[in-house]
Amino acid sequence: MVLSIIIGIVGFAAGSGLSYYIWDKALAKKKEKILKDAQTEAEVILKQKELLAKEKFLQLKSEHEKYTNERNAKLAQMEAKIIQKDTLLSQKLEEVQRKKKEIEQQQETLTIQAEALKKKEEVVSKIQRQHLEKLEVISGLTAEEAKQQLIEMMKAEAKTAAMAYVNEIMEEAKMTATKESKKIVIQTIQRIAPEVAIENSVTVFPIENDEIKGRIIGREGRNIRALEAATGVEIIIDDTPEAIVLSAFDPVRREIARLALHQLVADGRIHPARIEEVVEKVKKQIEEEIMEIGKRTCIDLGIHGMHPELMRLVGKMKYRSSYGQNLLQHSREVANLCAVMASELKLNPAIAKRAGLLHDIGKVADENPELPHALLGMQLAEKYKEKPEVCNAIGSHHEEVEMNTLIAPIVQVCDAISGARPGARREIAEAYIKRLKELENLALSYPGVLKTYAIQAGRELRVIVGSDKMTDKEAETLSFELAKRIQDEMTYPGQVKITVIRETRAVAVAK
């Protein structure tokens, strides 16, 4: 549109020169007006920007002054705190210096007093020496001799007082500790129902008729010799009707011989080659049965992770007896007792049960029979990676090694409970009589003892002493020393009560 206007103007100017002059003048005026308006608008904008700049400046100035004032206030507070601390430190320093001076004064005073006291002690010592010399002259004894007499008197009084004190403590301990320990042991025993088991060194093999005896003996005794050589068992065939006696100290051998005889008699073919074949077959069956017994025992008792060789030895205990008590039944009984007692004492029943089952494992070991069974069992347990608590309990249940865990005395006590209960074991009569004689002879070895009697199957020792040879206090001392020696030197089940009797008899004869 502007272009069309310009073209029109040019055409018009070309048409008329005057019109062009007039248009040019009008255009110049319009230009000046536009410039004037633009200048006015620029001045307005400039003034607005200047006002905005001043406002911004004032705002920043206000903020800066506020920040400066806050910072100055904080600095003033910090300065006040520092001044306060400096004042406190100065006061404390003055206090320390004052106390230091007081201490120095006190040290000087103490030094003076110590010197004075030392002088007094020298004077007192001198006076004591003078008095001591006078006393020695008067009494006819030196100071060392008087001191020795005084020491002997004090030793005798102290020994008497100590015995009375020991007896008092023991009685007090019995009122508390014995009651609780008996309660735990009784509860443990009541929760176990053991059987009484007695085994012999012979096994009787029943037969239907006596004709079988001749077949077992064989021509010129070859069958019985082959059977004895293969099994290691003595076969006794006598006039006993319908019975053959198998004799051997090893229960495993007797069981092998019994089973082999049973199979041979049932089969009817009895000759040396068949005997050897059957015996070998029975031996394998017994080994498998022993392993199965060991596994079943561990399962019944809830014991897991045991080495197979230890399981085999556990099963082998079924065919071993100790003083007539079956070893496997004894070990199972001890394991259950240990678990119950450990539970009562808030200990680990699983470890206690494991130690109780394995405590006599050395009695059925295949090698090193010359070692004590407790040490041999400990070596086997260590070999097959049992826990140290279990190994120590096995090795220390007869006190061959030192006990270092709480499980060890539990195994020892439960072993005694299982073995010492009535009917559990058959003690040899000679050993029993020997133990009673040793008790009496031990008491007779003391001066002043007239007679001794071991009564109640060795559970009580009565000692009769002369009233003119021993006082009441000496009788108490004798009972204490006898109990200590019996406890340290002798082996016995349960406990032994020592009763010392001192009486005065007045005898007169009427004539």
Side-chain angles (χ1 to χ4, degrees):
M1 184 176 179
V2 176
L3 182 59
S4 61
I5 294 170
I6 294 171
I7 294 170
I9 294 170
V10 172
F12 179 76
S16 178
L18 181 61
S19 298
Y20 176 78
Y21 173 75
I22 294 169
W23 173 258
D24 186 40
K25 193 173 182 180
L27 188 60
K29 288 180 179 181
K30 190 174 183 180
K31 180 180 178 182
E32 289 177 0
K33 185 180 180 182
I34 290 170
L35 289 172
K36 189 176 181 181
D37 292 340
Q39 186 176 3
T40 304
E41 187 178 355
E43 290 175 355
V44 172
I45 293 171
L46 180 61
K47 288 180 180 180
Q48 290 177 351
K49 294 295 182 182
E50 287 178 354
L51 290 173
L52 290 174
K54 287 180 180 180
E55 290 177 358
K56 186 67 174 179
F57 174 74
L58 292 173
Q59 183 181 357
L60 292 173
K61 184 179 179 182
S62 174
E63 292 177 355
H64 178 69
E65 289 176 352
K66 183 179 179 181
Y67 172 74
T68 303
N69 293 334
E70 291 178 352
R71 187 172 181 182
N72 290 336
K74 289 182 180 178
L75 290 173
Q77 291 178 357
M78 292 174 65
E79 185 177 1
K81 288 181 180 179
I82 291 171
I83 292 170
Q84 186 179 2
K85 288 182 179 179
D86 191 16
T87 305
L88 291 173
L89 287 174
S90 299
Q91 292 175 355
K92 288 183 179 179
L93 183 60
E94 291 176 358
E95 183 69 18
V96 169
Q97 291 177 350
R98 185 180 61 78
K99 288 184 178 180
K100 184 178 179 183
K101 290 180 180 179
E102 290 179 357
I103 291 171
E104 289 175 353
Q105 292 175 357
Q106 289 177 358
Q107 285 180 346
E108 292 177 359
T109 305
L110 289 174
T111 303
I112 295 170
Q113 291 177 354
E115 291 177 356
L117 183 62
K118 186 176 181 181
K119 292 179 181 179
K120 289 181 180 179
E121 287 179 351
E122 291 176 355
V123 174
V124 170
S125 299
K126 186 176 179 180
I127 295 171
Q128 284 180 346
R129 285 195 299 271
Q130 293 175 356
H131 288 176
L132 187 62
E133 291 173 359
K134 291 179 181 179
L135 287 173
E136 289 178 355
V137 173
I138 295 171
S139 63
L141 293 173
T142 64
E144 191 64 29
E145 291 174 349
K147 188 188 294 183
Q148 287 298 121
Q149 289 185 4
L150 181 61
I151 290 173
E152 291 298 327
M153 290 174 60
M154 292 179 67
K155 282 173 65 177
E157 291 179 2
K159 187 175 181 181
T160 304
M163 289 301 305
Y165 185 62
V166 168
N167 290 334
E168 183 181 350
I169 291 176
M170 289 177 65
E171 291 299 326
E172 184 178 354
K174 286 177 182 178
M175 291 176 63
T176 56
T178 305
K179 182 179 179 181
E180 292 299 321
S181 61
K182 284 182 178 180
K183 180 180 178 182
I184 291 173
V185 172
I186 290 170
Q187 287 179 351
T188 303
I189 296 173
Q190 286 176 343
R191 291 168 65 179
I192 304 297
E195 297 179 356
V196 176
I198 299 297
E199 288 192 3
N200 300 313
S201 60
V202 297
T203 299
V204 178
F205 179 74
I207 55 178
E208 294 180 357
N209 52 65
D210 289 343
E211 294 179 1
I212 298 176
K213 292 183 180 179
R215 294 169 58 191
I216 293 173
I217 295 171
R219 184 179 298 175
E220 298 179 356
R222 62 178 186 175
N223 291 345
I224 192 171
R225 286 199 300 272
L227 193 57
E228 288 180 345
T231 59
V233 174
E234 182 182 2
I235 300 175
I236 302 172
I237 300 177
D238 51 17
D239 296 337
T240 304
E242 298 181 354
I244 295 174
V245 177
L246 308 177
S247 176
F249 71 92
D250 190 347
V252 178
R253 293 181 187 175
R254 294 205 311 271
E255 183 67 10
I256 291 172
R258 187 186 70 80
L259 293 176
L261 267 177
H262 178 75
Q263 291 189 17
L264 289 168
V265 171
D267 184 43
R269 295 178 295 167
I270 305 176
H271 53 83
R274 177 64 179 167
I275 288 171
E276 292 179 0
E277 178 185 350
V278 171
V279 168
E280 287 299 322
K281 183 178 179 182
V282 169
K283 283 182 179 179
K284 292 180 181 179
Q285 291 177 357
I286 290 292
E287 285 295 327
E288 293 175 358
E289 183 180 353
I290 286 172
M291 195 66 193
E292 183 62 28
I293 290 170
K295 289 181 181 178
R296 190 164 59 247
T297 300
C298 293
I299 292 171
D300 292 344
L301 294 175
I303 297 174
H304 307 287
M306 186 175 289
H307 193 279
E309 184 61 24
L310 291 179
M311 286 188 184
R312 186 183 72 82
L313 293 175
V314 169
K316 195 175 176 182
M317 286 195 290
K318 178 183 178 182
Y319 301 101
R320 173 69 189 268
S321 60
S322 178
Y323 295 99
Q325 185 181 24
N326 183 269
L327 192 58
L328 181 58
Q329 292 182 8
H330 166 64
S331 297
R332 288 176 66 115
E333 185 178 330
V334 171
N336 288 322
L337 286 167
C338 288
V340 176
M341 191 170 289
S343 299
E344 293 287 339
L345 297 174
K346 310 301 181 186
L347 298 175
N348 190 336
I351 294 178
K353 184 181 289 186
R354 199 180 191 96
L357 178 64
L358 297 176
H359 80 284
D360 274 345
I361 203 76
K363 290 184 178 180
V364 292
D366 299 326
E367 54 188 15
N368 292 331
E370 66 276 2
L371 281 177
H373 74 275
L375 296 180
L376 186 55
M378 182 176 70
Q379 291 181 1
L380 288 171
E382 290 173 347
K383 179 180 178 181
Y384 297 114
K385 311 299 181 185
E386 286 294 323
K387 293 183 178 180
E389 301 97 311
V390 176
C391 298
N392 179 255
I394 295 171
S396 63
H397 78 277
H398 285 311
E399 298 184 355
E400 271 97 359
V401 298
E402 184 180 356
M403 297 181 182
N404 54 27
T405 64
L406 293 175
I407 298 297
I410 291 178
V411 173
Q412 185 184 46
V413 169
C414 293
D415 180 40
I417 291 172
S418 175
R421 62 183 173 82
R425 294 183 174 182
R426 294 181 300 176
E427 190 173 5
I428 299 173
E430 290 81 359
Y432 169 73
I433 295 170
K434 182 181 178 183
R435 180 164 61 83
L436 298 185
K437 287 183 177 180
E438 287 177 353
L439 276 174
E440 294 181 351
N441 292 333
L442 180 64
L444 281 172
S445 64
Y446 284 85
V449 177
L450 302 179
K451 297 178 182 179
T452 60
Y453 299 102
I455 61 175
Q456 294 186 10
R459 300 301 175 95
E460 183 178 355
L461 179 65
R462 292 190 179 177
V463 183
I464 300 175
V465 299
S467 60
D468 56 338
K469 298 180 180 180
M470 193 173 293
T471 64
D472 290 338
K473 287 290 183 183
E474 290 173 343
E476 291 182 6
T477 305
L478 176 62
S479 65
F480 181 80
E481 291 179 356
L482 274 174
K484 188 77 169 56
R485 284 193 62 184
I486 291 171
Q487 182 176 339
D488 294 341
E489 299 176 11
M490 300 188 67
T491 302
Y492 52 90
Q495 61 184 12
V496 179
K497 179 182 178 182
I498 294 89
T499 305
V500 177
I501 301 172
R502 177 181 178 272
E503 60 182 4
T504 302
R505 294 188 182 184
V507 180
V509 179
K511 296 181 180 179

